[in-house]
Amino acid sequence: DIPLSMKGNQEATSAGKKLRNMRFDTIYISHLLRAIQTLHYILLELQDKRIPIIYHEEERIHNWEHYSGDRNNEIPIYQSVDLAERYYGDLQGLNKAETMKKFGEHQVHLWRRSYDINPPNGESLKDTCERTIPYYKKIILPELQRGKTVLIVAHGNSIRSITKYVENISDKEIPNVEIPTGIPIVYTFDSQMRFQKKDASRIG
């Protein structure tokens, strides 16, 4: 659970500047530190001065909350392990070049870029989809159906999983979809929640 690098800090600030005029009804983030830091930098840049409030999904912790402020003056934030980055198991935290030297470039490429081949004791992209997409459908999609504007701050593979569902991308094609770091992607849907437009170039 490593923090953002200096480059990551800069990219998050840049993302915040691009999103500065947007007003989010709800924000969903991964529980990992770098996602939390990314959101922090984004919030610092927003023109929206409502108070960010983190709500816990775990019922035991949720019952401890005694926030009694003005709900109209808050930005609700929900944190979930289901939005976490893909877990690489025994490869977690290893240097890519050294891993290739140990296991071979072809094998490491299969682990990293295939849809359903697991690294040792880790998740495949398919496994990531199987926790991320149900969370999106159960928790986030109903908000969108109510006409809400939602921000998701997560990771390359968890965002890739949601992208697969939203854009109806095949199992074969999704490993080739690149998710750029620090660049907001805005999806627009029609009233029937059919995907209409994807824009990552003219934000801000």
Side-chain angles (χ1 to χ4, degrees):
D1 190 11
I2 60 173
L4 285 178
S5 64
M6 184 63 70
K7 180 182 178 184
N9 294 344
Q10 293 167 350
E11 288 180 339
T13 297
S14 175
K17 291 181 187 299
K18 291 178 179 179
L19 296 170
R20 67 193 307 269
N21 295 318
M22 297 194 73
R23 180 183 172 91
F24 299 106
D25 297 296
T26 317
I27 296 174
Y28 297 92
I29 61 171
S30 156
H31 75 298
L32 294 175
L33 178 59
R34 56 193 182 277
I36 297 167
Q37 288 180 307
T38 297
L39 177 58
H40 172 78
Y41 284 110
I42 290 171
L43 290 171
L44 287 174
E45 298 297 329
L46 293 186
Q47 292 290 312
D48 188 345
K49 297 308 177 188
R50 289 176 299 158
I51 301 167
I53 301 290
I54 294 177
Y55 287 91
H56 296 277
E57 292 181 322
E58 186 180 340
E59 191 65 28
R60 179 177 62 89
I61 298 175
H62 185 68
N63 288 335
W64 295 342
E65 295 171 339
H66 299 290
Y67 175 69
S68 59
D70 181 3
R71 301 286 181 179
N72 295 318
N73 193 40
E74 71 172 57
I75 309 174
I77 300 168
Y78 295 91
Q79 205 173 3
S80 178
V81 297
D82 289 326
L83 295 175
E85 179 57 293
R86 175 185 171 191
Y87 179 61
Y88 281 90
D90 294 350
L91 307 184
Q92 196 82 5
L94 297 181
N95 178 281
K96 186 163 63 175
E98 291 176 357
T99 307
M100 287 182 176
K101 185 176 179 180
K102 181 176 180 179
F103 295 102
E105 186 174 346
H106 176 68
Q107 182 61 66
V108 173
H109 181 77
L110 282 177
W111 286 333
R112 294 187 70 244
R113 302 305 298 179
S114 64
Y115 178 64
D116 56 2
I117 297 177
N118 297 61
N121 299 310
E123 288 184 307
S124 64
L125 180 56
K126 180 182 178 184
D127 293 329
T128 309
C129 287
E130 287 174 353
R131 60 174 164 81
T132 304
I133 293 174
Y135 181 85
Y136 173 82
K137 291 167 72 173
K138 179 182 178 182
I139 304 296
I140 299 175
L141 185 57
E143 289 284 282
L144 297 170
Q145 290 170 329
R146 289 193 285 270
K148 303 295 186 181
T149 299
V150 170
L151 174 65
I152 303 172
V153 181
H155 311 274
N157 285 296
S158 49
I159 294 292
R160 193 192 313 268
S161 302
I162 294 171
T163 296
K164 182 183 191 304
Y165 176 78
V166 169
E167 298 186 33
N168 195 27
I169 299 171
S170 70
D171 296 353
K172 182 179 178 180
E173 291 300 320
I174 191 60
N176 299 318
V177 174
E178 294 293 338
I179 305 296
T181 58
I183 299 177
I185 300 170
V186 176
Y187 283 101
T188 303
F189 303 90
D190 68 12
S191 60
Q192 302 302 310
M193 287 311 300
R194 291 183 293 246
F195 164 55
Q196 295 290 294
K197 187 174 67 171
K198 175 182 180 180
D199 193 349
S201 60
R202 298 193 305 274
I203 306 167

